[in-house]
Amino acid sequence: MKKLCLLGLTIGLASHSVLADTKPAAIENKDAFVSNLMKQMTLDEKIGQLRLISIGPEMPRELIRQEIAAGKIGGTFNSITRPENRPMQDAAMRSRLKIPMFFAYDVIHGHRTIFPIPLALASSWDMDAIGLSGRIAAKEAAADSLDITFAPMVDISRDARWGRTSEGFGEDTYLVSRIAQVMVKAYQGTGLIGAENIMASVKHFALYGAVEGGRDYNIVDMSPAKMYQDYLPPYRAAIDAGAGGVMVALNSINGVPATANTWLMKDLLRKEWGFKGLAVSDHGAIFELINHGVAHDGREAAKLAIKAGIAMSMNDKLYATELPSLLKSGEIQQSDIDSAVREVLGAKYDMGLFKDPYLRIGKAEDDPADTYAESRLHRAEARDVARRSMVLLKNHNETLPLKKTAKIVLVGPLAKAPIDMMGSWAAAGRPAQSVTLFDGMTRALGDQASLTYARGANITSDKKVVDYLNFLNFDAPEVVDDPRSAQVMIDEAVKAAQQADVIVAAVGESRGMSHESSSRTDLNIPSNQRDLIKALKATGKPLVLVLMNGRPLTILEENEQADAILETWFSGTEGGNAIADVLFGDYNPSGKLPISFPRSVGQIPTYYNHLTIGRPFTPGKPGNYTSQYFDDTTGPLYPFGYGLSYTRFSLADMALSSTTLNKTGKIDARVTVKNTGKRDGETVVQLYLQDVTGSMIRPIKELKNFQKVMLTAGEQKVIHFNIEENDLKFYNNQLKYAAEPGTFNVQIGLDSADVTQQSFELL
Ligand code: BGC
C-alpha cells in the first residue's frame, strides 16, 4: 500500500512517465504494475480507459484534451501525426494518474507508403515481401506516433460479392493463417516495446468474411466444424503469433452478435485460446446491439458487451453513460469492469507507454518538417512488393512482355487514376504521391516513348453508383466523370488504337467499389467499360487488359476478347511503375491467385477446397444428376493458386519417401520443378492433401504447404515437402482435433487444379 501511495505521489510529480521514479521492480512486473495502478483508480477513471474515440477534423480539440485530462478517454484513432497526438498525450500527463493515451489507426496495407491491397499481397505468396510491407508500415506508422493498428484483417472470404474481400488475404485457411502470422510479427517486431513497433489487433473476430450472400454486415450462420476447420484458424494464428489486440466483428454468429457473444469472446478466445490481450469493439458495434435486436436500449447493450468481454468501446459513449448505474444496480460486477480495464492497461504496458508515453511521439524538435515528404516514403520496396503481387492470367501468343519500341495506346478509366491505384483503406497514403499506370509506362519508355492515351470510358455510366461511391467523401469526389458521352470516348480510343501496334486497357473497379459497405450483386466489369473493350477488340490489334479491382471479377467475355490479362489488383503508391515493370518484362510475373475467379456470380461460392459430395460432377462426362449448374461449364474460370509467367515451368518425378506414415513419422514428398522456358522466373510449388475417407466429410483437397522458387532459364530443382501427422489433423463433429488413419492423397501442382498425385496410408 505504501508503495502505491508513493507511486501516486511520484506520478503527481513526474514530468512524463507514470513510472519515472518508481523502483524498476514495479515496472518490470506487468501484472503487479497494472494491479497497483488499478487500485488507485476511481470508477470514472476506469471507465474512461474503456473509451476509444475517433478524432475527426471537425472535433473540438480543446474539449477532447479536457476530457483526456479528466481521465475520460483511453485512446483515439484517426489522429495520425505527432503534432496532433502530442497535445493529447500532454493532456493525459496532466490527468490525475497520468495514464498514457494510445493512438490507433487502420494501417492495413502501408501507412504513408501504400503497398498493394491485402488480396494482392496474398497473391505474391511471398512471405518475405508481405512481411516487408508490414514492417515498413509499422515503422512509418510508429514514426507518426501511432501505437496500434486495426490489422491484419484475416477474414476468410469465399464470396467475392463482399466488398471487403479486398482487405483480406483470400479464400484459403492455410495461406491466410501463414500471412496472419507474418503480418503480426511484422507489425510488432521482435517485441512490442519499441519505438518502431506497433501493436497488431487482428480482425474481425470472427467470421466476418462469411456474411450471408456476401452482403456486408449481414448475419453469419455456420456449423461449429466449419468454423473451427476453415474460418477460425487465421485469427488463432495471429493470436499465437502474439497479436496484442483483437477487433470484434460487426456480424452475428449463429444468432448472437459477436459483440455480445460470450461463447466467442470468453469461452473460445480467452479460455480455449488463452488470449490475454485487448478486445476492442468495432465502430459503434455496442450501440448496434439494439439494431441486432438483442438489446432494447443502450443500457442493455453496454451490459451485454461488457459481460461478453468487450474491453474497449469504439466510438460510442455507452460504457461511460451506462456502466456506473449497471454496477450500482448489481447487473454487472466490478470484476467485469476491472477485467476490461486490465486489458487496456496491459496493452498500454505492452506498447511501452508506461515506460515512455512519448515513445512514438518523440520530441517536437524531431518532428518531420514535412509530414508528406518524399524522403519518408519507401518507394523501392513498394515497387518490388507490388510487382510480386501481380498475377498473369492469360498471355496468348506471348503478347506480353511489350516491346518498348512498340507503338502503344493506353486506354481506360484506370490508366490515370492515382486514388484508385492506392486501393481502399489506404491509411495516410496520398493520391498525389501515387504513380499512375500512365506515369509508370511513360517513365519506363523514357525517350523511346511512343505512348498515346485516351480515356475510353468512365468507371461506370451508372450515375447512382457514382453518387454512392462519392457519398462519403467530403473533401473531393473519388469518382470524377469525364462529361463526354460514352460513344465519343470510345470513338476516340478506337481511333488511337487503330494507329497503335498494341492496346493496353486499364479497366475494372474504382477502389470504392471494393470496400466496406461495397457489396455487389454483379461482378462484371461495368458495362460501359465492357463496351470499350468490345470496340477495342474489334480493331484487331493485340489487346492487353490490365485489371484493377479488389475482388475476383467475372470476366468470361473479356477473357475471350483479350490477348493478355494482367491482374494488378490495386497496387499502391508505386503501382504504375510496378505494372510497367511487368508489362515490359523488367520483372517476370510470379503471382498466384489467393482466391478463385468464378465464371459467373451464380457460381459463387467457388472456393477450391469444398467438401466432397455424393454426386460429384466429373469433367467430360454427362452432368445429369450430378452436382453442377447445367447452364454453364463447371468449375472456376481461374482456379485458386493459378498464375502464369513469361517463362514456363514443369513438374516431374513426384515421389513420396514412403507409402505409409506412422503417428510420429514423416514423409518426404518431392518433385522436380524445371524452368523450361527462356527467361529466369519464379513460381509457387503447391502441396495439397486429401483425406480420402473420414469420420466426416473431408475437403476434396487442402493446401498444406508451398514454396516459392526462383529458377534461371533451363534450371531445375528438387523441392521437398515434409508431411507429418499434424498436417492431417482436422476438427471432427465433436470438435476433436485429430488425424484419422486411412488413405491420404498428396497432390503437387503449380495451381490447385492441375496437380499430380501420389497416396500414402496413415497407420
Ligand atoms: C471497420 C473496421 C475499422 C473501423 C475503424 C469500421 O467500420 O469495420 O475494420 O477498423 O471502422 O476505422
Side-chain angles (χ1 to χ4, degrees):
M1 234 12 233
K2 203 165 167 206
K3 203 165 170 189
L4 288 177
C5 295
L6 265 179
L7 179 61
L9 188 63
T10 310
I11 289 163
L13 297 173
S15 53
H16 280 350
S17 165
V18 178
L19 290 160
D21 298 325
T22 52
K23 300 220 160 58
I27 191 138
E28 295 321 329
N29 183 336
K30 177 178 166 184
D31 286 343
F33 172 74
V34 170
S35 300
N36 285 348
L37 186 53
M38 282 176 61
K39 282 185 196 153
Q40 300 173 70
M41 293 170 81
T42 63
L43 179 63
D44 281 354
E45 282 166 340
K46 285 183 176 175
I47 293 174
Q49 285 302 308
L50 310 185
R51 198 168 149 221
L52 174 62
I53 62 163
S54 170
I55 305 286
E58 73 296 346
M59 288 170 77
R61 300 305 153 113
E62 185 44 40
L63 190 68
I64 292 170
R65 287 196 288 269
Q66 280 169 18
E67 291 203 2
I68 294 172
K72 290 184 175 162
I73 299 174
T76 76
F77 63 109
N78 290 342
S79 57
I80 57 162
T81 62
R82 292 157 60 136
E84 267 180 292
N85 289 337
R86 186 175 294 109
M88 289 195 269
Q89 198 65 299
D90 291 344
M93 292 304 107
R94 291 195 298 275
S95 68
R96 195 178 74 87
L97 291 174
K98 298 190 184 325
I99 299 174
M101 297 277 292
F102 71 65
F103 303 99
Y105 195 38
D106 289 289
V107 178
I108 309 288
H109 52 109
H111 175 61
R112 298 226 167 257
T113 312
I114 300 305
F115 285 86
I117 58 167
L119 194 62
L121 289 174
S123 304
S124 74
W125 296 55
D126 184 329
M127 299 301 123
D128 292 338
I130 296 171
L132 181 69
S133 78
R135 193 68 212 121
I136 289 173
K139 283 187 182 179
E140 289 185 0
D144 271 348
S145 73
L146 296 168
D147 303 301
I148 177 166
T149 173
F150 304 125
M153 189 282 222
V154 301
D155 306 325
I156 294 289
S157 45
R158 293 176 171 177
D159 189 332
R161 289 173 293 181
W162 192 47
R164 302 192 83 167
T165 300
S166 59
E167 211 184 320
F169 300 106
E171 74 185 31
D172 182 63
T173 310
Y174 176 80
L175 182 60
V176 178
S177 300
R178 288 272 304 262
I179 297 174
Q181 287 171 339
V182 166
M183 281 310 253
V184 168
K185 290 188 176 149
Y187 287 132
Q188 299 192 164
T190 44
L192 271 172
I193 303 179
E196 294 194 329
N197 302 338
I198 58 173
M199 184 177 272
S201 27
V202 60
K203 69 186 184 188
H204 302 83
F205 191 65
L207 323 180
Y208 188 19
V211 282
E212 197 172 82
R215 206 179 71 220
D216 211 357
Y217 318 123
N218 203 356
I219 63 155
V220 172
D221 205 288
M222 192 185 284
S223 73
K226 188 168 184 172
M227 282 183 205
Y228 272 77
Q229 193 57 36
D230 296 352
Y231 281 79
L232 292 175
Y235 309 107
R236 176 88 195 254
I239 287 162
D240 288 349
V246 161
M247 179 184 277
V248 184
L250 291 164
N251 53 278
S252 59
I253 298 172
N254 295 347
V256 183
T259 307
N261 202 318
T262 47
W263 164 75
L264 181 75
M265 300 305 301
K266 289 199 162 159
D267 300 345
L268 180 71
L269 179 66
R270 287 166 173 115
K271 287 197 199 116
E272 204 174 313
W273 292 1
F275 178 68
K276 299 224 171 352
L278 171 66
V280 182
S281 84
D282 202 343
H283 202 279
I286 299 180
F287 186 82
E288 285 169 20
L289 293 176
I290 305 171
N291 300 345
H292 280 288
V294 296
H296 65 264
D297 58 13
R299 181 181 164 84
E300 195 176 9
K303 176 178 142 184
L304 288 173
I306 196 91
K307 282 272 177 205
I310 310 297
M312 257 189 144
S313 83
M314 180 187 271
N315 234 33
D316 64 40
K317 284 195 173 168
L318 287 177
Y319 275 3
T321 55
E322 307 302 337
L323 293 187
S325 76
L326 284 166
L327 183 64
K328 207 164 166 199
S329 67
E331 287 168 86
I332 64 167
Q333 279 64 54
Q334 184 65 47
S335 57
D336 296 320
I337 296 177
D338 283 354
S339 325
V341 176
R342 186 171 286 283
E343 283 186 19
V344 177
L345 299 179
K348 290 182 175 179
Y349 182 99
D350 291 340
M351 292 172 201
L353 292 172
F354 284 113
K355 276 192 177 160
D356 180 3
Y358 295 86
L359 180 64
R360 298 177 187 86
I361 294 174
K363 297 197 185 81
E365 58 263 35
D366 298 332
D367 286 357
D370 174 7
T371 306
Y372 308 108
E374 267 297 314
S375 58
R376 304 190 76 211
L377 300 184
H378 293 82
R379 286 193 178 275
E381 293 88 342
R383 179 171 180 163
D384 190 44
V385 173
R387 54 195 202 170
R388 289 172 183 279
S389 67
M390 291 167 196
V391 187
L392 183 64
L393 295 177
K394 178 175 180 184
N395 196 14
H396 180 62
N397 275 345
E398 301 195 347
T399 308
L400 289 177
L402 300 175
K403 291 192 186 63
K404 288 189 179 164
T405 47
K407 277 169 78 183
I408 303 167
V409 60
L410 175 65
V411 301
L414 291 158
K416 288 187 178 180
I419 297 185
D420 298 304
M421 190 58 97
M422 296 193 304
S424 74
W425 294 107
R430 299 200 96 195
Q433 288 178 317
S434 79
V435 180
T436 66
L437 180 54
F438 177 80
D439 293 340
M441 290 179 74
T442 306
R443 265 181 230 165
L445 289 167
D447 295 341
Q448 313 165 56
S450 172
L451 182 72
T452 50
Y453 163 79
R455 182 168 165 96
N458 286 321
I459 280 289
T460 169
S461 46
D462 186 336
K463 183 159 176 332
K464 281 207 299 297
V465 171
V466 174
D467 289 347
Y468 184 80
L469 296 171
N470 286 337
F471 178 63
L472 285 177
N473 293 295
F474 308 111
D475 312 337
E478 287 224 348
V479 180
V480 183
D481 277 347
D482 186 317
R484 292 175 296 165
S485 77
Q487 198 53 51
V488 167
M489 279 192 273
I490 289 180
D491 291 346
E492 181 192 56
V494 165
K495 203 165 159 209
Q498 278 157 349
Q499 313 302 313
D501 301 325
V502 58
I503 309 163
V504 175
V507 292
E509 300 182 298
S510 74
R511 70 162 182 178
M513 290 169 77
S514 274
H515 184 54
E516 180 176 348
S517 181
S518 293
S519 298
R520 296 181 63 192
T521 59
D522 169 8
L523 294 180
N524 285 330
I525 295 171
S527 62
N528 62 315
Q529 293 189 56
R530 280 188 287 137
D531 292 343
L532 169 68
I533 296 168
K534 221 173 282 167
L536 295 171
K537 167 73 183 164
T539 63
K541 302 284 176 160
L543 174 60
V544 177
L545 295 189
V546 171
L547 291 181
M548 296 187 197
N549 45 295
R551 49 154 72 89
L553 297 176
T554 48
I555 52 166
L556 209 51
E557 224 180 314
E558 297 71 35
N559 192 48
E560 294 299 316
Q561 293 160 337
D563 296 280
I565 305 179
L566 182 67
E567 175 56 83
T568 69
W569 310 109
F570 295 116
S571 40
T573 305
E574 277 289 305
N577 286 332
I579 301 170
D581 285 343
V582 176
L583 290 179
F584 292 114
D586 296 323
Y587 178 81
N588 186 358
S590 62
K592 299 277 187 176
L593 293 177
I595 191 162
S596 314
F597 265 50
R599 297 171 61 84
S600 65
V601 169
Q603 267 192 337
I604 289 175
T606 32
Y607 60 95
Y608 78 96
N609 51 348
H610 60 79
L611 296 178
T612 312
I613 34 187
R615 293 187 179 188
F617 170 79
T618 312
K621 295 214 172 133
N624 307 61
Y625 297 100
T626 67
S627 185
Q628 51 134 12
Y629 299 105
F630 77 83
D631 57 353
D632 194 7
T633 306
T634 298
L637 178 64
Y638 289 117
F640 174 82
Y642 173 87
L644 303 172
S645 160
Y646 293 153
T647 188
R648 281 183 306 281
F649 297 98
S650 69
L651 292 180
D653 305 329
M654 178 190 172
L656 303 182
S657 60
S658 169
T659 51
T660 57
L661 174 68
N662 63 41
K663 284 188 179 275
T664 52
K666 286 177 181 172
I667 285 186
D668 172 59
R670 71 163 194 276
V671 74
T672 304
V673 52
K674 181 167 185 186
N675 180 343
T676 57
K678 294 198 184 72
R679 282 171 179 264
D680 302 349
E682 281 179 283
T683 189
V684 182
V685 184
Q686 303 159 34
L687 175 91
Y688 297 87
L689 294 180
Q690 183 193 13
D691 184 352
V692 179
T693 315
S695 61
M696 62 184 287
I697 302 171
R698 306 287 296 120
I700 55 166
K701 62 181 72 182
E702 291 172 288
L703 182 73
K704 288 291 177 179
N705 210 338
F706 60 87
Q707 285 179 43
K708 192 155 188 176
V709 203
M710 174 74 201
L711 293 170
T712 54
E715 193 188 359
Q716 65 177 45
K717 263 187 199 158
V718 180
I719 304 294
H720 295 271
F721 293 107
N722 207 23
I723 301 173
E724 299 176 20
E725 194 214 6
N726 224 15
D727 301 311
L728 314 177
K729 289 184 176 163
F730 70 100
Y731 290 94
N732 68 15
N733 265 337
Q734 286 72 47
L735 301 182
K736 190 173 157 230
Y737 188 60
E740 295 176 355
T743 307
F744 287 82
N745 290 333
V746 182
Q747 304 180 345
I748 301 185
L750 300 177
D751 64 56
S752 62
D754 186 9
V755 292
T756 42
Q757 181 173 301
Q758 300 271 334
S759 303
F760 70 88
E761 295 288 316
L762 176 68
L763 302 175

